[in-house]
Amino acid sequence: MNIGFVCSSDGIGGAEKNIKLTCEHLNKKGFSTSVILLRNCPKLKDFYEKNNIEVYSFNLVSIRSVLKDFVRLCSLLRSKKFDAIQLFGLRTNIIMRPIGKLIARTKVVTAVVSTDDWRKWYHIMLDRITAPFVDMYVSNSIAGKEAVMKREKVKESKIKVVYYGINLDSYEPLTEGEKEAARGKYGIKAQNFVISEIANLRIMKGHKLVIDAVENLVKDFDNIRVIFAGKDDSNGEIPNYIKEKRLEKYFILAGFVDDIRSLLGITDLFLLPSDWEGMPTCVLEAMSMKVPVITTKVGGIHELTGDDGGILIPKGDSKALERAIRTMLGNENTRKNCVMNGYIRAKEIFSENDTFDKLAKVFKSMP
């Protein structure tokens, strides 16, 4: 089968990494895959090319080039003769659902990677208008499936749930030499207690909650250091908030981090206090690296952690976050239990091979 994966991202996040993994695994199973970028993002294009994935880049978000690139896109879709295209993101779905069905004349699959609680009435209206062009929805969580059924009134029979998977062999513990190099890279000392959040800097990812919690915590735990790994999508709001609180000593703004294993290998506690999520890859990565997790009980996160694979807190509650961090700091048994239970879930439920076997079956089963 010939499958195209289409997105309009302006950076590399969990969904983009999973597209890469999907292409790699499906190619091994005899599929032919390509990635189509609707937005000009050289870093993302380079990311796929470096991993030997066929990628095509357009710029449909620019008025200057939209007509020219639309013609190029239609020409590509006709020549590639995809058996199916899978669409990521609201913008991509609104644009590509009718194009995929009417011009490419192929099966259209919508990827559901978040519960998308932020959507306004007009987003929902556009989603419903274009929904008849969709042949199948594939959600990475039960929570995402339920959100789409409720919001877009999609029939349950049209939605399949396929969890993201992970290759535990890629998340082996660091050697002492690797730890020393990683600490040096981030300016971390051996006595520091390292807290990490791997997410592009956005208000909905809860970075401000972390800052508020740390403001109180450092009064008792001066050895805390917090690494924010991700590009700044807050237009400086989050870095400025750290400065306003005079907490620059405690925070390291690492920008986009490619080597997640090295970062998690020196991390003592992982945080993701988001307002909404689907099935965040970074939480699964932390569990696989045996790092204790504190995150919010939103979207499909509870499907990841279960009851014992991390501490789950209400969204938007910095005091609850502070209490959870204090619990982890002060109770080694709690940390060990979270690590053990999280790792077992990653190993037994989120096997990479099982995940891509299921996805391959979904594509092959489409009428």
Side-chain angles (χ1 to χ4, degrees):
M1 291 188 73
N2 187 12
I3 310 294
F5 298 90
V6 190
C7 66
S8 55
S9 311
D10 62 353
I12 304 169
E16 292 71 36
K17 291 179 182 177
N18 277 289
I19 290 173
K20 177 189 84 74
L21 291 174
T22 301
C23 289
E24 290 173 343
H25 280 263
L26 291 184
N27 288 344
K28 291 177 184 177
K29 296 179 182 296
F31 285 69
S32 175
T33 62
S34 306
V35 174
I36 298 172
L37 307 178
L38 301 187
R39 180 196 294 263
N40 182 29
C41 181
K43 183 176 288 188
L44 186 55
K45 185 173 185 287
D46 185 57
F47 170 71
Y48 290 122
E49 287 178 338
K50 282 184 176 179
N51 287 280
N52 299 313
I53 293 169
E54 187 175 74
V55 57
Y56 300 90
S57 181
F58 301 89
N59 199 9
L60 296 188
V61 298
S62 170
I63 294 177
R64 289 184 177 182
S65 61
V66 64
L67 182 58
K68 172 185 169 184
D69 276 20
F70 176 77
V71 173
R72 286 179 54 229
L73 173 63
C74 292
S75 176
L76 173 72
L77 292 171
R78 290 193 185 101
S79 65
K80 292 295 292 185
K81 297 181 180 179
F82 291 112
D83 296 298
I85 55 172
Q86 186 170 21
L87 313 178
F88 292 78
L90 177 64
R91 181 190 291 109
T92 300
N93 272 275
I94 300 307
I95 294 172
M96 290 299 300
R97 284 171 177 177
I99 292 175
K101 189 58 66 178
L102 301 176
I103 296 176
R105 298 187 179 277
T106 187
K107 302 293 183 183
V108 175
V109 180
T110 287
V112 181
V113 298
S114 175
T115 53
D116 287 340
D117 300 356
W118 54 269
R119 291 193 181 186
K120 306 294 185 183
W121 66 268
Y122 47 87
H123 298 130
I124 297 171
M125 179 186 70
L126 289 170
D127 214 335
R128 290 182 181 178
I129 289 172
T130 56
F133 296 109
V134 179
D135 296 282
M136 182 72 69
Y137 294 77
V138 177
S139 176
N140 65 355
S141 67
I142 295 172
K145 172 183 175 178
E146 291 174 346
V148 169
M149 288 173 59
K150 180 179 179 180
R151 187 175 56 230
E152 273 81 42
K153 308 301 181 186
V154 176
K155 294 181 180 179
E156 185 173 8
S157 60
K158 290 188 72 172
I159 308 179
K160 304 295 183 183
V161 175
V162 180
Y163 286 147
Y164 284 157
I166 199 157
N167 179 5
L168 292 178
D169 293 338
S170 299
Y171 294 88
E172 289 292 319
L174 301 189
T175 65
E176 286 305 315
E178 288 175 322
K179 284 184 179 180
E180 185 177 349
R183 290 193 189 104
K185 177 181 179 180
Y186 296 107
I188 297 294
K189 297 179 181 178
Q191 65 267 30
N192 289 141
F193 186 91
V194 181
I195 299 173
S196 295
E197 178 173 357
I198 301 171
N200 290 334
L201 274 60
R202 299 171 183 166
I203 300 304
M204 55 76 56
K205 292 291 185 180
H207 293 88
K208 281 190 171 183
L209 298 180
V210 177
I211 297 166
D212 289 338
V214 168
E215 183 180 24
N216 292 324
L217 287 164
V218 295
K219 297 172 185 176
D220 301 313
F221 305 97
D222 189 65
N223 65 327
I224 285 176
R225 294 296 182 270
V226 181
I227 301 175
F228 284 164
K231 73 183 185 74
D232 184 11
D233 287 334
S234 73
N235 294 319
E237 182 174 347
I238 291 168
N240 287 337
Y241 195 62
I242 294 172
K243 293 178 182 177
E244 289 171 16
K245 299 282 187 177
R246 298 182 178 179
L247 295 172
E248 296 99 318
K249 168 185 173 181
Y250 302 99
F251 284 86
I252 299 158
L253 303 180
F256 172 74
V257 173
D258 186 45
D259 189 356
I260 298 300
R261 174 177 167 266
S262 289
L263 173 55
L264 290 174
I266 60 167
T267 296
D268 299 297
L269 178 61
F270 182 81
L271 307 179
L272 189 70
S274 302
D275 290 338
W276 62 81
E277 286 288 350
M279 186 71 76
T281 303
C282 56
V283 172
L284 185 55
E285 289 174 324
M287 291 162 57
S288 301
M289 283 292 292
K290 299 182 180 179
V291 179
V293 170
I294 298 173
T295 182
T296 38
K297 193 174 183 178
V298 297
I301 288 179
H302 184 257
E303 296 171 54
L304 265 177
T305 65
D307 293 329
D308 305 312
I311 295 180
L312 302 187
I313 61 171
K315 68 178 182 179
D317 191 337
S318 65
K319 293 297 182 183
L321 177 60
E322 180 187 339
R323 288 193 297 270
I325 295 173
R326 286 185 182 275
T327 297
M328 289 289 197
L329 281 165
N331 194 322
E332 186 176 355
N333 286 334
T334 299
R335 294 201 302 272
K336 286 182 177 179
N337 286 336
C338 286
V339 164
M340 178 185 68
N341 292 318
Y343 183 78
I344 289 172
R345 289 184 66 81
K347 182 178 181 179
E348 295 183 352
I349 300 175
F350 300 98
S351 161
E352 196 174 73
N353 288 332
D354 289 346
T355 291
F356 293 110
D357 283 345
K358 291 176 182 176
L359 186 59
K361 288 178 182 177
V362 167
F363 284 127
K364 289 179 178 178
S365 67
M366 293 179 64

